[in-house]
Every structure is written in C-alpha cells, then in structure tokens.
Amino acid sequence: MSRRSAGHVGAWAEIQRQRQRQFEAEARRQREEARQARAYQRLAEQSHREYCQAEARRRTDELDARVAALQGLLTAGCRAPGFRASSLLRVEDVPPFDPGPLAWPVRMPDPSRYQAQGGWTAGRRAQAQAEAQARFERDWHAAQVAEAQRQQQLAALQRDHEQRAEALRAEVRRHNAGVTETAEGVRRGDPDAVVEYFSAALYASTAWPEGFPRQVEAAYDAAGRQLVLDWELPGYGVVPEAKAVKYLFNQQQFKETARPVTQRRGLYREVLAQGVLLVLHQLFVADEHGVLDSVALNGFVEAPDPATGRRACVFLATVMAPRAVFTDLHLEQVDPVSCLTDALRGQLSAKPDQLTAVRPSRQPRDVGSAVAAHGGDHEPDLYAMDPVAFEALVADLFRAMGMQAVTTQRSNDGGVDVDAMDPTPIRGGKIVVQVKRYRNTVPPTAVRDLYGTVQDVGANKGVLVTTSGFGPGSHTFARGKPLELISGGELVDLLHRHGLRGRLGESRPTASAQPAPPDTDASPDDYNVLGMTWSGSVALDVCALVCRGSRVLSEDHFVFFNNPQTPDGSVRAIPAAGPDKAAIRVAFDALPDAADRLVLVAAVDPEVNPDADLAGFTDACIRLLDPAMTELGRLEVSDGRARETALVLGSFRRRSNGDWDFVLGGKGYVGGLEQLVQEHGIEVE
C-alpha cells in the first residue's frame, strides 16, 4: 500500500512540477515579450527622434541654402554669359516628312492563291475555276481602289507638310528679319529698338532665381544716350523669416527660430542692391553696339501703400550709373550696398521692410520724344525773354510733364508765379512755382520765402525755377524740405526733353567765358586724393570748405553734394574706390592764394537716415593717396558722438613755407550741416 501511495504522490508531485515549470515558462515568456516591447518602443522613439531631428536639419539646411543663393546673386549673375541679339536668331529646322503607314503601297492579290478547288466532273471544275477567277478580280479591283486612295491621302499629307514647312520657314525668316532690324535700329540709336532690345536682354537672363519678378518699363534718351527704366524688385518675403528649425521632443513638434529683424532687413537691403547692380551689369554687357553712356535705374516693389492701403509701386532704390564709372567696378568683390550708395552715389531705402521709399531721379515717362541739343540759334534766349512769356513757358513745361498748370495774376499772387497740380496718386498734389529770370546766383532768402509760401498755402511742394543757379546755402536750407530747386542748365534739359525750346545766352560762348573741362588742370598729375573710410552703417555726406581762417572764401568754395567742385577745379568730389566710402581730390598747389585752410567735414544724410546721429561713426581715418591711388599715409580722426549730426574731421593748414599740415578736428554740431556751414560764414536762412 505504501509503495502504491508513494507512486500516486510522486505522480501528483510531477504534475505539480510540470505546472510550475509551465507557469514559470509563461512568466518568462511574458517578461521577454514585455522586454522586447519596451526595447522596440525605445528603438521606435529613438528612430522617430532621429527622423525628426534629421528633418529639422534638412529644413535648416534648406533655409541656409536659400540665404546663400540670395547672398551670391550678384556673383552668380556676373558669371552668366552676356546677352546678344544673335541668341534670338532661329534655325530653319523643319522636321522631315513622315507619311507613317501611308508610305507602304497596298499589297496586290496573288493569282496563285486563287486556284480552283474540287470538282469531279468537267463542269464542276469549270465552275470552280470561274468562281476563283471572280474572287481574284474582286479582290484585285478592291486593292486598286485602296491603293488609289492611299496615293491621294499620301499626296494630300505631303502637300500639308510642305505648306506647314513653308509657313514655319517663313515665320523663322520673319523672326530673324525682325531681330536683324532691331539690331540695326539699336546700332542707329532708334529709341524703340533700343528699348525692345534691352528689355529682351533682361527678360532672357538666366541669372534671376525662380520667382523673381521681371517687370520693366523703359525709355531711351537718344540725345543723352541714356536708358531710363523702372525695374521690379523682389518683395520682403524673398528673405526667409525663419533662421533655423528645431524639433522639440517633449512637445512633439517642430519650432522655427525667427531671424532677427535687423539681420533680415540687412539681408533684404543686400538683395535689393545686388538686384540693381545685376540689372546694370546685364545692360552694359548686352550693349554690343555701345549706345549706352549711362543708365538711370529705379527699383520698385508692388505693395500696399502704407498711406492708402491700395497696391502701388513703391521705389526702394534709384541710381544713375555712368558707363565709365560702372565698368571700372569689380562686382564680384564689392559690398553691394556700399557699391550702390557710395561708389555709384545711388539711393537705397534704409528700411525697405517698412516700405520707406526713395525718390526716383528720372523715370521713363520723363523722357520726351524730342530731345534737342543745347544752344541752337532757332531757340529763344531765356535771358532775353519777356517775363510773362517766360512764366508761360514754365507753365507749358509743367503741362508737358503731365501736370495741370496755370500762370497767376501779376498782382496779389502771394509769391506764386505758376499754380500746378500733379494728378499722380500718393505723391502728387498742389505745387507752387516761383520763377526767377536771373543772371546771378539766387540768394537763400528767395528759397526761404518760397518755403514760407508753401506753408502758407498748404501746398505739397514748392519749386523754384531760375535761369541762373543756387549756392550751397540755398541747397542746404532746401534739404529735407518739400522744395525743389531747378537751375538754368536743368531747366534747359527739361525743356528739351519735353519738346520745348530754350537756351541760355549765346549758343557758342567765347573762349574766355567757356568753363574748363571737368578733368582739366594746369598740372593734371599734381594732386592728391583724400579717401575717407569709417565703421557704422549710417549714411554720411563728406564735404570740403576752402577757407581763410574760419570763413569760407565764397559759397562756390563749399564742395558738397550739389556743388561737386570749386570754380578753379582745385577741390572736387570724386567717386570713391574701396575701401573708401567717400573721396575728395585736392590740388594743394592750385588752391587760391587767399586760402590757408581746407576743412573736411562729415554730416548725416537726413534723407537716408533722418533719425540717425554720429554715435555709430567710429574707426574713421583719411587715406592720403597719390594720382596712382597709392596710399601715402593715414590720418586718424575723432569718433562721432550721440545727438551730433555733423562733425569737423580735420583741416589742412598752409604753413609759411608753403607746406600743408593736417590738424585733427573733432568739433560736433547738433544742428547738422546747416549749423556747421553757418559757423563758417555761409548764409542759410
């Protein structure tokens, strides 16, 4: 009994052990599955994180690539081949005639395949032969009809091909004749041909990235050999708003890091400057017939006007580029903004992201169809013209420019000779015009009186037209105010551009009265160039005053933006070459005997940076250069200070032995250039 009991217990115990082993195995399996699930989840999370991080890097790299492409726009564009009219010529490449299945004749039936079948008797065999012959003749006639139809279709198809081929060849010949005619028109200087040719050069360019606009309006001044055009520039959105992309794992989302506003604005200004320079480059490179002496270019964007909310053309850049100056530039090495604003003396919006506009210097609509030469005997002498007739001529000029204009009554005119209304939206409005038929320089008091009239009558602008000119005091007072000063030479230019006549005095001045050419000196190689450079982005005007003591010799001895040289040419402003931002050419030995000082000053340009001061004017120096532009030495000057908007950089002073020594300046002026020149004896009222 005990052995049998032991056997039952052992069996029971074995069953229990098997169940225990199964339970433990199941527990181990579940633990392993849980472990594998956790490992898989960790791997999945790690893979997802790596994927998201890789996607963030890809999107960041894409932003960097877009920025790099924008920064390299000018360099890449300069490497593109220049446009030529020959690239528009087409080849008479007519595809060969392809008849397709009609090229194959219809197969005629084979008589051997129409043999009589069967027939045990002579009659049955004869009947079978007749039936076979009938089938053959039927099929043969059907094949003949099909072949005739094929030949007709083939002939019609061939005639159609020849007609289409001849039409294509005629179209190619007409196109090539048009290209040749346009090229000949460009060679002759025909305005329509010139505009068509250079517009095609800009449209056909491969230098512009995808999505850049290509809208242009142009006109050609044949007499001045100047192309004038408005060119659309890309909007602010061309610069990516995001600087980088990151993946936030805890929040399970991508986050863009915003590009700083100043950085984005700076990059956008650089893009605008590159776009303007690239247009100039493409135009001058395409000028294979040499018809362009200069290009007047205005860059605009189409955007809602901040004042009205309506879409309008807002001009963000403008420049007048002489060919001789532009072709000396090394565009692949320049800083685009400095090149445009300093070397070419153009204007670029300080805040283009806010649509802060600049004023275009000349636009296509300003180019008249009849542009005459100066001083023809058939033109009336403005000096000798009756005052009433002269005022009427000025009113005619304003009407020719697209404005409404009438002369006022001679009495009680309130200082207004012509009332004009510019109908142009946004920048138009009421204009008061004063006319001065003078031979001597118009005094600053006349400019001051005009400004008072503008304020009294609530006009948008005042224009002072004269047959003479204006001194530095007048230009300084008018700067930053709604005033425009038109000198005698500018008046004659405007008259000729708009098909009107007028000259100043005799058509051919005597040798004694004829001014010397701009680049002619008694000793052409006896001069120095004073190159000014500084840190900071504020736009500055560098000026020079030829003085005796602390008083300027005359208004004409103040060299600045509206008076580029002294009467004798001993001091003149010239385009700066890198690294300089401004340059003055001085022939020290040719300075007037009465002069013992040459004072150099710098002032904030209120039109470009109206709210700026000289706090950012640092690391400034004057480079003394010889005529070969070899640096002879450097003169350090003082830094600018907050609230000051004009600064005396220093002065060259004549010593008793005839040498000139440099004396460091540093005196600043809160009242800007106006206060500075007043202290040196120039009247600014």
Side-chain angles (χ1 to χ4, degrees):
M1 290 292 294
S2 61
R3 287 166 53 185
R4 285 198 296 271
S5 298
H8 288 299
V9 171
W12 179 81
E14 182 62 26
I15 292 173
Q16 289 296 103
R17 284 196 296 272
Q18 290 178 358
R19 290 178 176 174
Q20 181 65 27
R21 285 194 292 270
Q22 292 175 356
F23 176 78
E24 292 175 354
E26 179 65 20
R28 286 195 301 271
R29 185 186 65 79
Q30 292 178 356
R31 288 195 299 272
E32 180 62 22
E33 289 179 353
R35 185 190 66 78
Q36 291 179 358
R38 290 194 299 271
Y40 175 79
Q41 184 176 1
R42 287 195 298 271
L43 182 61
E45 291 176 352
Q46 182 177 359
S47 299
H48 179 68
R49 179 188 301 223
E50 291 175 352
Y51 167 78
C52 293
Q53 290 174 342
E55 175 66 12
R57 287 194 298 271
R58 185 194 67 79
R59 290 164 63 176
T60 299
D61 292 342
E62 187 177 273
L63 292 171
D64 292 341
R66 288 172 59 189
V67 170
L70 293 175
Q71 292 174 328
L73 174 64
L74 180 59
T75 300
C78 289
R79 294 172 182 169
F83 176 80
R84 291 292 180 268
S86 58
S87 66
L88 299 177
L89 296 176
R90 300 177 185 171
V91 179
E92 295 184 15
D93 186 12
V94 179
F97 176 62
D98 181 13
L102 293 176
W104 305 100
V106 175
R107 179 176 295 179
M108 293 293 108
D110 184 1
S112 63
R113 296 180 177 272
Y114 292 84
Q115 299 298 324
Q117 302 293 329
W120 295 99
T121 65
R124 183 71 187 90
R125 284 195 298 273
Q127 182 182 0
Q129 288 176 353
E131 292 174 352
Q133 183 64 27
R135 290 196 305 273
F136 170 75
E137 291 177 355
R138 184 181 67 248
D139 291 348
W140 186 86
H141 284 296
Q144 288 292 330
V145 172
E147 174 62 13
Q149 292 177 346
R150 182 194 72 84
Q151 291 180 1
Q152 291 177 355
Q153 293 175 357
L154 179 62
L157 185 63
Q158 194 161 8
R159 286 193 302 271
D160 182 65
H161 171 76
E162 288 298 329
Q163 291 174 357
R164 286 188 287 107
E166 182 57 31
L168 178 60
R169 285 190 288 265
E171 170 61 25
V172 171
R173 287 192 291 268
R174 283 194 299 270
H175 171 79
N176 290 345
V179 172
T180 303
E181 182 181 357
T182 298
E184 288 300 320
V186 174
R187 192 189 306 275
R188 297 191 306 269
D190 177 68
D192 291 338
V194 171
V195 169
E196 181 179 358
Y197 173 79
F198 286 105
S199 296
L202 295 177
Y203 281 125
S205 172
T206 59
W208 304 109
E210 186 68 26
F212 267 49
R214 302 192 186 199
Q215 181 178 342
V216 62
E217 180 182 352
Y220 180 62
D221 182 349
R225 294 168 58 84
Q226 182 180 77
L227 183 67
V228 184
L229 70 158
D230 294 343
W231 175 259
E232 186 175 4
L233 296 169
Y236 188 47
V238 72
V239 180
E241 183 178 358
K243 182 178 182 180
V245 179
K246 295 181 179 180
Y247 180 71
L248 303 179
F249 185 75
N250 293 335
Q251 302 178 17
Q252 298 289 304
Q253 65 178 8
F254 292 96
K255 181 180 180 181
E256 293 183 343
T257 301
R259 193 177 302 276
V261 174
T262 54
Q263 183 185 114
R264 192 181 181 200
R265 176 189 298 160
L267 181 55
Y268 184 47
R269 294 186 80 232
E270 184 179 346
V271 170
L272 296 179
Q274 288 186 88
V276 171
L277 295 176
L278 186 51
V279 169
L280 295 174
H281 169 76
Q282 291 174 333
L283 293 174
F284 283 122
V285 169
D287 186 19
E288 53 186 322
H289 301 302
V291 299
L292 300 183
D293 286 347
S294 63
V295 173
L297 172 60
N298 308 303
F300 70 91
V301 296
E302 284 193 343
D305 184 83
T308 66
R310 297 191 297 267
R311 292 192 68 82
C313 293
V314 181
F315 290 92
L316 300 180
T318 185
V319 65
M320 198 290 291
R323 184 191 196 98
V325 175
F326 189 82
T327 52
D328 282 343
L329 301 174
H330 299 282
L331 293 180
E332 296 187 20
Q333 302 176 12
V334 301
D335 171 68
V337 174
S338 298
C339 180
L340 175 63
T341 58
D342 295 340
L344 296 177
R345 307 299 294 173
Q347 296 182 52
L348 180 64
S349 173
K351 297 179 180 179
D353 53 316
Q354 300 178 15
L355 300 180
T356 302
V358 300
R359 180 182 178 184
S361 56
R362 190 182 189 190
Q363 293 187 259
R365 64 172 179 266
D366 298 332
V367 180
S369 57
V371 182
H374 285 251
D377 292 334
H378 62 287
E379 296 182 344
D381 184 358
L382 301 182
Y383 288 135
M385 185 177 287
D386 178 79
V388 176
F390 183 52
E391 292 178 6
L393 177 63
V394 173
D396 289 341
L397 173 61
F398 276 77
R399 284 191 288 269
M401 296 170 66
M403 305 180 199
Q404 304 167 8
V406 295
T407 57
T408 61
Q409 297 294 327
R410 300 298 297 170
S411 60
N412 299 322
D413 59 8
V416 178
D417 299 316
V418 176
D419 268 325
M421 176 64 68
D422 185 352
T424 305
I426 302 173
R427 69 169 183 267
K430 180 178 174 61
I431 301 174
V432 294
V433 183
Q434 286 185 355
V435 177
K436 303 293 184 184
R437 197 167 53 86
Y438 287 1
R439 289 182 179 270
N440 298 323
T441 302
V442 176
T445 52
V447 183
R448 181 200 61 189
D449 293 342
L450 174 62
Y451 184 53
T453 301
V454 170
Q455 292 179 314
D456 290 341
V457 302
N460 295 75
K461 179 191 289 188
V463 179
L464 183 53
V465 181
T466 184
T467 51
S468 58
F470 302 91
S474 296
H475 285 292
T476 302
F477 177 83
R479 196 172 192 195
K481 299 180 178 67
L483 300 176
E484 188 162 350
L485 309 181
I486 299 179
S487 64
E490 293 171 321
L491 173 60
V492 172
D493 282 337
L494 287 172
L495 290 171
H496 291 165
R497 288 180 197 173
H498 294 86
L500 300 173
R501 296 179 178 181
R503 60 185 173 89
L504 296 173
E506 296 298 327
S507 59
R508 288 185 182 149
T510 61
S512 60
Q514 192 168 3
D519 292 324
T520 300
D521 292 325
S523 301
D525 295 328
D526 188 14
Y527 67 86
N528 291 101
V529 173
L530 307 178
M532 268 67 76
T533 182
W534 61 85
S535 299
S537 59
V538 61
L540 298 177
D541 287 320
V542 174
C543 314
L545 298 94
V546 180
C547 300
R548 181 175 183 83
S550 61
R551 311 290 288 183
V552 69
L553 295 185
S554 72
E555 289 191 344
D556 292 335
H557 287 84
F558 174 28
V559 176
F560 70 124
F561 46 88
N562 276 320
N563 184 42
Q565 68 176 44
T566 56
D568 58 5
S570 59
V571 182
R572 65 188 63 174
I574 61 174
D580 300 325
K581 296 184 177 182
I584 300 289
R585 172 176 161 173
V586 183
F588 285 97
D589 290 341
L591 287 171
D593 293 337
D596 60 4
R597 293 188 187 185
L598 174 68
V599 182
L600 299 179
V601 303
V604 173
D605 187 336
E607 295 183 1
V608 179
N609 297 121
D611 301 323
D613 59 19
L614 290 174
F617 179 77
T618 59
D619 303 323
C621 74
I622 301 173
R623 298 196 311 139
L624 184 64
L625 309 170
D626 64 13
M629 302 304 286
T630 302
E631 185 173 323
L632 305 177
R634 292 197 175 202
L635 307 170
E636 303 296 332
V637 300
S638 301
D639 292 342
R641 292 177 289 271
R643 297 182 62 248
E644 294 178 354
T645 55
L647 173 70
V648 175
L649 302 176
S651 60
F652 291 86
R653 301 187 181 184
R654 193 198 302 262
R655 299 307 180 192
S656 57
N657 59 2
D659 290 337
W660 293 80
D661 293 337
F662 181 74
V663 178
L664 180 65
K667 184 175 181 179
Y669 296 83
V670 176
L673 187 61
E674 181 176 338
Q675 180 185 0
L676 186 151
V677 298
Q678 281 181 326
E679 188 172 287
H680 285 79
I682 293 179
E683 180 185 3
V684 179
E685 299 187 41

